[in-house]
Amino acid sequence: GQQLNQSPQSMFIQEGEDVSMNCTSSSIFNTWLWYKQDPGEGPVLLIALYKAGELTSNGRLTAQFGITRKDSFLNISASIPSDVGIYFCAGPLQGGSEKLVFGKGTKLTVNP
Amino acid sequence: DTGVSQDPRHKITKRGQNVTFRCDPISEHNRLYWYRQTLGQGPEFLTYFQNEAQLEKSRLLSDRFSAERPKGSFSTLEIQRTEQGDSAMYLCASSLYSIYGYTFGSGTRLTVV
């Protein structure tokens, strides 16, 4: 089935550093979604991408829809302590399903 | 109400007991989803409603699990004869269309002892 592979699994960075993470699949996705989850809470949608090559920003976050439609990237610039959390990529399955499939997440730790 | 509400936030139950969780979606969203999340994993799809109709169910949803959305508004997820493997975070979400992304609730953390 369609699976999403996220890397790295975890990152430890200093406040102020930029962060990059990615998500790959063996299958084509027509939509890529990036979520952030804080401990004990549900995921919150950060950015949605709908077109191959699309680059979309949300404040200090920038995400790109890969040209092959099999990958997506999320960058965070000038990280701050509240960026701590787990970042998930997700996408809807092909064939009209309403189901979203999620990656296993990238856990981000920011040291002040 | 501006978000998805789930109740309870936490539930500890003994193995073999039945539990029921409630989800109140965003009022204008006709689609409602249940997901399960275990430690170190992303959310996994359980089931989906469009209005009151349950349109998709995952193979993860064993016979012990049942979900309802009786009037197309709130939903309940019941687990009968709980097992330790049922311990997880149960997330509810709602949306207008899945490609726009879901709005998740804060989840119900179930611990089976």
Side-chain angles (χ1 to χ4, degrees):
Chain A
Q2 288 174 288
Q3 289 186 324
L4 295 178
N5 302 304
Q6 288 191 247
S7 65
Q9 283 187 309
S10 61
M11 304 181 76
F12 298 83
I13 62 168
Q14 293 297 124
E15 183 176 358
E17 289 183 357
D18 297 344
V19 172
S20 290
M21 60 189 77
N22 68 14
C23 184
T24 61
S25 173
S26 58
S27 304
I28 287 173
F29 278 77
N30 293 318
T31 300
W32 287 94
L33 305 166
W34 284 94
Y35 282 85
K36 181 192 178 207
Q37 187 173 30
D38 291 331
E41 298 293 330
V44 173
L45 183 64
L46 300 173
I47 292 179
L49 302 160
Y50 300 108
K51 190 175 171 183
E54 179 182 354
L55 193 70
T56 298
S57 293
N58 178 6
R60 294 177 297 103
L61 277 60
T62 301
Q64 183 162 23
F65 193 138
I67 292 292
T68 64
R69 293 197 285 157
K70 293 183 178 182
D71 56 10
S72 180
F73 306 87
L74 177 69
N75 297 313
I76 305 173
S77 63
S79 59
I80 59 177
S82 62
D83 291 332
V84 165
I86 303 177
Y87 292 80
F88 292 100
C89 60
L93 291 179
Q94 300 284 354
S97 173
E98 283 286 318
K99 182 193 318 186
L100 289 183
V101 60
F102 284 78
K104 292 187 177 182
T106 292
K107 184 176 181 180
L108 179 63
T109 302
V110 180
N111 296 316
Chain B
D1 180 15
T2 57
V4 177
S5 177
Q6 291 189 246
D7 182 69
R9 290 294 310 273
H10 303 275
K11 179 71 177 179
I12 300 175
T13 191
K14 291 184 178 179
R15 190 174 52 189
Q17 297 292 305
N18 300 342
V19 294
T20 300
F21 310 140
R22 177 181 170 120
C23 172
D24 288 89
I26 293 173
S27 57
E28 58 266 32
H29 287 177
N30 61 348
R31 289 162 165 82
L32 185 146
Y33 314 83
W34 285 98
Y35 277 70
R36 181 172 70 185
Q37 186 178 24
T38 54
L39 201 62
Q41 302 294 317
E44 294 176 292
F45 174 81
L46 291 178
T47 190
Y48 149 61
F49 291 85
Q50 185 164 332
N51 300 312
E52 66 275 11
Q54 188 174 19
L55 297 183
E56 281 188 74
K57 287 172 65 172
S58 165
R59 281 172 288 181
L60 289 175
L61 214 66
S62 75
D63 291 344
R64 297 183 297 105
F65 288 69
S66 62
E68 293 183 344
R69 193 182 183 196
K71 296 183 180 178
S73 56
F74 74 92
S75 175
T76 57
L77 177 68
E78 181 183 16
I79 309 174
Q80 296 183 325
R81 304 181 303 283
T82 52
E83 301 172 357
Q84 286 190 316
D86 297 332
S87 296
M89 173 80 91
Y90 290 84
L91 293 162
C92 176
S94 68
S95 79
L96 285 173
Y97 299 103
S98 66
I99 63 169
Y100 299 143
Y102 305 158
T103 300
F104 280 92
S106 296
T108 294
R109 168 74 64 188
L110 173 67
T111 303
V112 181
V113 297

